[in-house]
Amino acid sequence: MDSLLDFEECIKDSPEFRLTLDQFEADVSSLETHLDKVMKLCGKMVEAGQAYNSANKLFLSSLAELLSYQKKETVVMSCLNQFQQGLQEMLSFHTMLLDQTQRAIVQQLSSLCSQFLPQLVDTRKEFVRIGEDLETAAAKNAQVSRHKAADAERASHLLLATRKCYQHFALDYCLQLNTFKTQQKMDVLNSVFSFVHAQFTFFHQGFDLLRDLEPSMKTLGAQLSQLSADCATKRKELENRHLLVQQRDASGEPMVNSCPSNGAVIQGYLFKRSRRKSKTWKRCWFTIRDHQLIYKKSHKEDAAVLFEDLRLCAVKPADHMDRRFCFELLSVQKCCVLQADSEQLKQAWLSALQGSIDLAYRERSDAQLTQPKDPPPVLSAGDASPGPPSQRPAVLAVALGGPGNQRCCDCGQEEPRWASVNLGVTVCIECSGIHRSLGVHLSKIRSLTLDSWEAEQLKLLCVLGNDVVNGIYEARCSEEGRVKPGSDSPRSEKEMWIREKYVEKRFVQSSSSGGASKSYC
């Protein structure tokens, strides 16, 4: 049994008692250091365990999502569900263990420290202070002269009172030290016992839980053996198919295939010249679909429409470029230079683009334009003399048969007699004069009754027509708050409207057409 401080020796305040007291104080200080270390490390362990449980919860949630892909396998899914529930119970057991550890170690030991140690510190301060007062009183009592009876009597009374006070605090201090040494032994042992008991309960519960899962583990083990054999067979089949495709197709040569499954005519990578920096080229993924040329700068970005209607475009090789395998796409609004990886790919894209343009014309002409089997010859734009009078009414009738061509494209006047060759629209005589003032680079005006027309020019006029062109050039008219002028509107109002419409392209709904002149993208 551990020795304690002797109260009688405390009254004597002998050097032996002082040595024993110093040893007790050193033991208390060392024990306090160890208690603090144990509680801090226990707190860190509990925090780490809580973090582990949080991560384990997330892991089990992701595992449950992964197991949801096995819904078709009823036997496997049943076993996996039991495992999932078992793991959840193990997690709850571990949470209980951390809680019990917190109570067993931190709460009990902190109670010991908070109940005794602060009181010991305060009592020791008073004990030291009264001890110093006793030393002072003893020194004064020893210094009083024998011839001064009154001073000697006062010094003796002060020494007696101080010694009594010192003995009182010394006895209290010894009592607290003895009590702490006795109590700490019980609290420490009780704390450790509670912690070990919590560990015992945790592992015992885990053992019972895993023993209940043993039948399911055997069932799943048999399923895994069968799945392993099936997997080996499937892997061999995949290796054979991989080798076949590698020998047949993976030659590195460019492949050009149509894509009827997703509605695309052709798709693949092309280099696109930048609109602002002519020396900058960007490799993009291009697709021809629904008479539109669509491209993606990267797989993370949405597709953008480069040309909204291929019927308004022309395609030709760009042999003047310093770079190889280049070709151009031109429309009224812009010009775009593209580059393929090889001559084979370049020709494939040229054929696909031209085929898409021709197909778009055929689809519109089949529904809206009926051409004679042997159309009469018409004069070219450079001929000075007009065609025979019998041909002019036929040209007018065919031109007005286009979508929306029965009214002026810009003011709505009925039965227009003029048309723009490069825009593909019919206009009245007043609007035709305004179109002439724009210049032939924007609108080239011809008469439907006086001038001669080539078959391709007439075909363009009929296939496009006022409705199609207005759908492009007037797409944002309502957003801009503009009202289209009528046939009886002043000429100045019509002129302003036509310039905003064709020169400034203010109402065009297109991300790539933002300037008044042709843009190069």
Side-chain angles (χ1 to χ4, degrees), residues 61-107:
S61 298
S62 63
L63 188 60
E65 296 175 358
L66 177 62
L67 298 182
S68 63
Y69 289 96
Q70 307 294 332
K71 291 181 179 179
K72 296 181 180 180
E73 302 291 338
T74 56
V75 178
V76 175
M77 194 63 188
S78 176
C79 296
L80 294 179
N81 284 333
Q82 293 184 26
F83 295 160
Q84 175 75 9
Q85 294 174 4
L87 293 174
Q88 291 287 355
E89 291 186 26
M90 287 293 295
L91 184 60
S92 63
F93 293 159
H94 195 261
T95 303
M96 293 171 57
L97 173 63
L98 295 176
D99 183 64
Q100 292 172 355
T101 301
Q102 180 81 13
R103 290 199 302 269
I105 301 296
V106 178
Q107 293 182 5

Side-chain angles (χ1 to χ4, degrees), residues 238 267 444:
L238 292 175
Q267 57 186 7
K444 187 175 183 180

